[in-house]
Amino acid sequence: EGRDAEPSNGASSPPTSLLLTPDETLTFTWTREKDLPKATLSAYNSSNNTVLTFKVKTTAPKRYHVRPPHGFVRPGETASILLSMAARDTASLWWDAVDSKGEQIKTEDKFQVQFAVVPESFASQFLQGDVDEKEVMKSIQNLWKELGELDKAQQKKRITSKRLTTKFEFPMNLSSTVAPRNLPAPAGAGHGSVASPTPAADLAARANKDHVPGSPEAIFSELTALRRKYDDLVAYTVVLSGERDFLNQELEEVQGKLQKEVGKRQHAADGEERPAASRESTEVKQKEPTVGFSFVQVLVVGLVAFIFGRVFS
């Protein structure tokens, strides 16, 4: 369940929330190698009169297709977000599960669902009556840019975020029911050697085995393998960029919470210093009369001295 959104510009409207189902973990399930696992995320607007806009991010943008990546939800309605995995990753993850003897593959992929209150002016302009879906999506994309700039310019957050983890599920006893993949062995490998699991290495092995070194076919195969390596590197770079953006967003949220906590503690410390200072001044005032001898003490000492003087004189 998302956190309550703070009303913008200090408005007195009640807090609103976008309820997510599932609200913690998205599960992608395989039944066979050629499956394209999908997960559906439902976003319910629990408010009575406030339109909410949402945006979905992921740390692996090349692996997942999100439809729609952003949108809006009217009060009391539910939006369905379809998350599907790219075909290029599904087969490799399947065989990773087979190689790991059916154990579940651990994943660090994460999704972040952000939502915010749609300003009334925006809702009346773009979301009333018959609306063009493409025009609305473009307008919402621009709205998110404005909301992000407002969040950076003001201390009060307009955007609320909810993080979801992912889980990959495969059939039980996978390794015993699926035959091992048949990949060509590298050149020079003996009988029973383990085949190379990477497509680029597979192509290189084929080039060395099937073509004469230096021939046009061998050169073409090597260039193809290099191209695949380059594509893998680009995809990995994109994944790192998504992870960086996700961590930057989390860092901003933690910094905001830290500043609030520092402010609260500083305020509390200032409140404790004032009573302490007043107590010290009161104690000083109470101690002042005890400094030196009082008039009565001096009178008694003088009277005793006078009597002793009369007695011994």
Side-chain angles (χ1 to χ4, degrees):
E1 178 177 331
R3 296 172 297 174
D4 291 338
E6 299 180 12
S8 59
N9 299 329
S12 58
S13 59
T16 56
S17 183
L18 193 68
L19 307 182
L20 302 178
T21 305
D23 62 349
E24 292 185 357
T25 303
L26 293 165
T27 302
F28 294 85
T29 304
W30 280 256
T31 57
R32 57 194 179 96
E33 178 187 357
K34 296 182 179 180
D35 280 348
L36 296 178
K38 297 179 177 62
T40 301
L41 179 64
S42 298
Y44 171 69
N45 184 353
S46 62
S47 66
N48 295 324
N49 53 8
T50 303
V51 181
L52 298 179
T53 178
F54 65 86
K55 182 178 181 180
V56 182
K57 294 182 177 181
T58 176
T59 57
K62 281 290 185 179
R63 171 172 288 181
Y64 301 98
H65 302 295
V66 181
R67 296 291 181 272
H70 50 259
F72 68 94
V73 193
R74 291 187 172 92
E77 295 185 358
T78 301
S80 293
I81 306 166
L82 180 62
L83 313 169
S84 57
M85 187 174 293
R88 69 180 186 86
D89 283 348
T90 56
S92 62
L93 289 171
W94 168 269
W95 286 112
D96 287 344
V98 173
D99 293 342
S100 63
K101 299 181 180 180
E103 294 182 2
Q104 300 299 324
I105 303 298
K106 293 184 179 180
T107 170
E108 298 296 331
D109 299 345
K110 297 181 180 66
F111 285 85
Q112 184 183 56
V113 181
Q114 298 177 311
F115 71 91
V117 175
V118 174
E120 293 183 1
S121 58
F122 182 93
S124 60
Q125 181 178 358
F126 296 101
L127 306 182
Q128 298 294 337
D130 295 334
V131 295
D132 183 359
E133 184 176 352
K134 292 183 178 179
E135 187 66 24
V136 170
M137 292 297 104
K138 184 178 180 180
S139 301
I140 289 178
Q141 188 175 5
N142 294 331
L143 174 63
W144 273 102
K145 292 180 180 178
E146 296 177 4
L147 292 173
E149 293 174 355
L150 290 173
D151 257 21
K152 293 180 180 179
Q154 302 179 6
Q155 292 183 352
K156 195 169 188 179
K157 291 289 183 181
R158 296 169 180 258
I159 300 174
T160 303
S161 301
K162 172 67 177 180
R163 185 175 64 180
L164 302 174
T165 58
T166 56
K167 180 182 179 182
F168 298 159
E169 287 189 349
F170 300 89
M172 298 294 292
N173 302 322
L174 184 61
S175 59
S176 61
T177 58
V178 178
R181 49 182 159 180
N182 185 19
L183 294 177
H191 178 70
S193 298
V194 178
S196 172
T198 62
D202 183 14
L203 289 173
R206 288 179 181 273
N208 293 333
K209 181 178 180 180
D210 300 335
H211 303 300
V212 178
S215 66
E217 293 82 3
I219 294 175
F220 177 77
S221 297
E222 290 177 358
L223 289 176
T224 302
L226 290 174
R227 179 64 184 180
R228 293 293 296 271
K229 287 183 179 180
Y230 173 78
D231 291 341
D232 291 343
L233 181 60
V234 171
Y236 183 66
T237 303
V238 172
V239 171
L240 290 180
S241 299
E243 184 75 21
R244 178 201 62 196
D245 295 340
F246 186 81
L247 292 176
N248 285 338
Q249 179 68 26
E250 286 193 333
L251 178 61
E252 291 180 1
E253 294 180 3
V254 172
Q255 287 178 339
K257 293 180 181 179
L258 179 61
Q259 290 178 356
K260 289 182 181 180
E261 185 66 23
V262 170
K264 289 180 181 179
R265 294 193 177 188
Q266 185 64 37
H267 182 73
D270 293 341
E272 291 178 357
E273 288 178 358
R274 293 192 185 95
S278 62
R279 286 196 302 269
E280 289 178 358
S281 61
T282 303
E283 291 176 358
V284 170
K285 290 180 180 179
Q286 292 175 350
K287 291 179 180 180
E288 284 179 354
T290 62
V291 177
F293 297 99
S294 66
F295 175 75
V296 175
Q297 290 174 332
V298 173
L299 182 62
V300 171
V301 171
L303 181 59
V304 171
F306 175 75
I307 294 173
F308 272 95
R310 296 286 296 176
V311 171
F312 294 102
S313 60

